Amino acid sequence: MTAIIFAAILAIVLGLICAIVLVLADKFMKVPVDERFPKIRECLPGANCGACGYTGCDGYAQALIDNPDLKTNLCVPGGDGTAKAIADVLGKEAEDVIEMVAVVKCDGNCSAVKQRFEYKGVKTCEAANMFYGGAGTCSFGCIGLGDCARACPQDAICVENGVAYVNSELCIGCGICAKACPHHIIELMPDVNRTLVLCSSHDKGAVVRKFCTNGCIACGKCTKTCPNGAITLVNNLATIDYEKCTNCGACRDACPVHCIVEKDISGIHRIAK
Amino acid sequence: MKTLIIILMSSILVNNYTLSKFLGICPFLGVSKKTDQATGMGIAVTAVMVVATAVTWPIQTYVLDTLGIGFLQTIVFILVIATLVQFVEIVLKKYIPTLHKSLGVYLPLITTNCAVLGVTINNISDGYNFIESIFSALGCGLGFLLAMVLFAGVRSVLEGNNKIPKRLQGLPITLIAASIVSLSFMGFGGIIENLFG
């Protein structure tokens, strides 16, 4: 009988000692957590996509607290609402998010690009790329087997006539497709850019012409036409400096192969040829 | 001195807690995917084992045995170890934040690590004195660290190896690999007696 009483008393005493030790430790050695952290974290979407440049939403929330000068509009998927909510928590002025959308810089569809051979392997761009860089003659262009479409979390990409297209309305600018593309022809750019060069080929003009009827032949007509001097030829490819571009459309009209096009709100608007 | 070295070596190699006694299998399989994580977990477990032994040995000898209620051993030890781990975590968070950042995620896992309880109870049942118990705990911790790092190395070869049949991929092949690694530790049986005996 005494053993049971001893045991019960010991268990209670030990439990109490342990509890008191932990309570005291918590009281005297508690590290204060910034109370804004959970609030900011709540504003963020929690997709941990990394578009802000930090390791996940936790990383961005911590960085916002640590660095008061950090902009609140870096969360692209969250959009303006998130930027405003974070700015409210931090007591700062909200800035609009520069929304990014993915653009497939290729227009080498089935009728434009010749095929070197019939590819019958695994139907992914990655596999096709390992096999002589894909079946198309142009080694820079879209392979068209839809690795980007499968990678897209928003189903914003579809492959039509051998080329992938991004629906800008659905695109959240996460950039996963850009990483999935083995030819690296998908680029994230601000949604305000309306004039796009739909070609990624760095081949010389004559070679491009042989491979694809829609490719940039680096004739330089656009560079001369542009009133703002925004277009330059880089490695045989017309490249637009969006700092200078005013979306006037002069280059679009001038381009003999129509590879400079205007982007529609709902995706890339195709010019009737 | 010789006894201490024998205790240390035998608990690292011969009586390896993970590979011979199969204690602490959960972190052994769970945190052994990357070598750096395995090292962190191993070091944290070693530290906790030594501190837990330093606290539980006096409790057993001076409280439980004096009062004649040795049967409370398991409950009391679990209580003490859990409190200790939480306490260590709070202290680390406050005073050594960098260490807490690297070990912090493993500390709650150790709270319920049966290897820690196993070490403290076995030290009592083996009849070690205080210094011997500390060395035994240190050896067990180092043995756990060794097993973790070795197995992390084995796993890094297994991960992403597409020659493994599909049915065996993932956990099955990991368990098979664990059994082979533990089999290899059988080879240390008798080494201590022949070296120091």
Side-chain angles (χ1 to χ4, degrees), chain B residues 113-134:
Chain B
N113 189 341
C114 60
V116 179
L117 184 67
V119 168
T120 51
I121 289 181
N122 276 349
N123 284 339
I124 306 296
S125 62
D126 286 349
Y128 290 150
N129 65 28
F130 187 70
I131 302 293
E132 285 169 348
S133 297
I134 296 290

Side-chain angles (χ1 to χ4, degrees), chain A residues 3-4 6-8 10-11 14-15 18-19 21-22 25-26 28-31 33, chain B residues 59 63-64 67-69 71-72 76 79-80 82-83 86-87 90-91 93-95:
Chain A
I4 292 181
F6 264 137
L10 184 78
L14 260 180
C18 289
V21 165
L22 281 188
D26 191 53
F28 288 110
M29 292 188 266
K30 194 176 172 142
V31 180
V33 179
Chain B
I59 288 182
V63 181
L64 296 184
L67 295 174
I69 42 175
F71 58 85
L72 267 188
V76 168
L79 185 68
V80 169
T83 313
Q86 295 301 318
F87 186 73
I90 293 173
V91 171
K93 205 171 179 181
K94 174 80 179 175
Y95 296 108

Side-chain angles (χ1 to χ4, degrees), chain B residues 41-169:
Chain B
M41 183 72 186
I43 292 171
V45 167
T46 311
V48 169
M49 274 182 180
V50 173
V51 179
T53 306
V55 175
T56 52
W57 194 88
I59 288 182
Q60 171 76 28
T61 318
Y62 298 117
V63 181
L64 296 184
D65 287 352
T66 327
L67 295 174
I69 42 175
F71 58 85
L72 267 188
Q73 194 187 44
T74 312
I75 294 172
V76 168
F77 280 15
I78 289 177
L79 185 68
V80 169
I81 291 167
T83 313
L84 200 69
V85 173
Q86 295 301 318
F87 186 73
V88 167
E89 189 177 358
I90 293 173
V91 171
L92 280 186
K93 205 171 179 181
K94 174 80 179 175
Y95 296 108
I96 324 173
T98 45
L99 191 64
H100 178 261
K101 220 172 184 180
S102 50
L103 292 186
V105 286
Y106 308 118
L107 283 172
L109 277 174
I110 303 170
T111 317
T112 50
N113 189 341
C114 60
V116 179
L117 184 67
V119 168
T120 51
I121 289 181
N122 276 349
N123 284 339
I124 306 296
S125 62
D126 286 349
Y128 290 150
N129 65 28
F130 187 70
I131 302 293
E132 285 169 348
S133 297
I134 296 290
F135 268 79
S136 165
L138 180 66
C140 292
L142 291 177
F144 182 78
L145 174 66
L146 178 70
M148 288 288 281
V149 173
L150 273 182
F151 194 55
V154 172
R155 267 188 102 164
S156 66
V157 181
L158 290 179
E159 293 286 320
N161 186 336
N162 49 19
K163 284 178 193 148
I164 301 168
K166 204 182 171 196
R167 299 276 176 259
L168 282 177
Q169 274 172 18

